[in-house]
């Protein structure tokens, strides 16, 4: 099983980046994006499930709502995170994660917004937003 995240980089405030995460090796129930800023805990950004078609943007941090959009490509087993109007506070390592069935997130407090709901993690991609 492999999760390959890409698309990070250095961008000026107000710019955009598009992160992608390609999953291989298994079929997944859901995938999510988390981020970890320097000196802070990792936090949930967005998630999407395959079967129900739900996108868990409502549980995203208020700071990213309206600016970040997560989408999926079922055929390619890939998710993307479109990030617009970036601000320096978005600087972080962004991780994609995946879970193979509904069982684990259904038993985890917070569901897909919780790190423990996921079976697999990508290596992370650095996003740096300069002011």
């Amino acid at each position: 099983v492999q999760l390959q995240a890409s698309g990070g980089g250095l961008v000026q405030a107000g710019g955009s980046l598009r992160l992608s995460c390609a999953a291989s090796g298994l079929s997944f129930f859901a995938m999510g994006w988390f981020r970890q800023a320097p000196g802070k805990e990792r936090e949930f950004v967005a998630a999407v499930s395959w079967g129900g078609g739900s996108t868990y943007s409502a549980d995203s941090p208020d700071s990213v709502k309206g600016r970040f959009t997560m989408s999926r490509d079922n055929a390619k087993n890939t998710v993307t995170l479109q990030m617009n109007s970036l601000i320096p506070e978005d600087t972080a390592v962004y991780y994609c994660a995946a879970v193979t069935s509904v069982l684990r997130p259904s038993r985890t407090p917070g569901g897909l917004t919780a790190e423990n709901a996921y079976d697999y993690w990508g290596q992370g991609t650095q996003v740096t937003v300069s002011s």
Side-chain angles (χ1 to χ4, degrees), residues 3-82:
L3 299 179
Q4 185 67 44
S6 61
L10 173 64
V11 64
Q12 287 189 332
S16 298
L17 282 174
R18 183 179 177 89
L19 305 183
S20 295
C21 182
S24 61
L26 283 175
S27 296
F28 296 101
F29 163 71
M31 294 181 70
W33 285 101
F34 290 75
R35 68 182 183 182
Q36 187 167 21
K40 295 186 177 180
E41 294 185 353
R42 190 153 55 184
E43 68 172 349
F44 171 78
V45 176
V48 63
S49 65
W50 260 237
S54 301
T55 303
Y56 294 81
S57 58
D59 297 308
S60 302
D62 289 341
S63 61
V64 308
K65 290 179 180 177
R67 299 189 297 120
F68 291 11
T69 302
M70 183 175 183
S71 59
R72 73 181 192 271
D73 184 327
N74 290 0
K76 296 181 179 179
N77 227 19
T78 299
V79 293
T80 59
L81 184 68
Q82 178 67 42

Side-chain angles (χ1 to χ4, degrees), residues 80-103:
T80 59
L81 184 68
Q82 178 67 42
M83 306 186 295
N84 298 326
S85 302
L86 286 161
I87 59 178
E89 290 75 17
D90 294 322
T91 295
V93 177
Y94 284 71
Y95 298 90
C96 63
V99 59
T100 55
S101 81
V102 67
L103 291 178

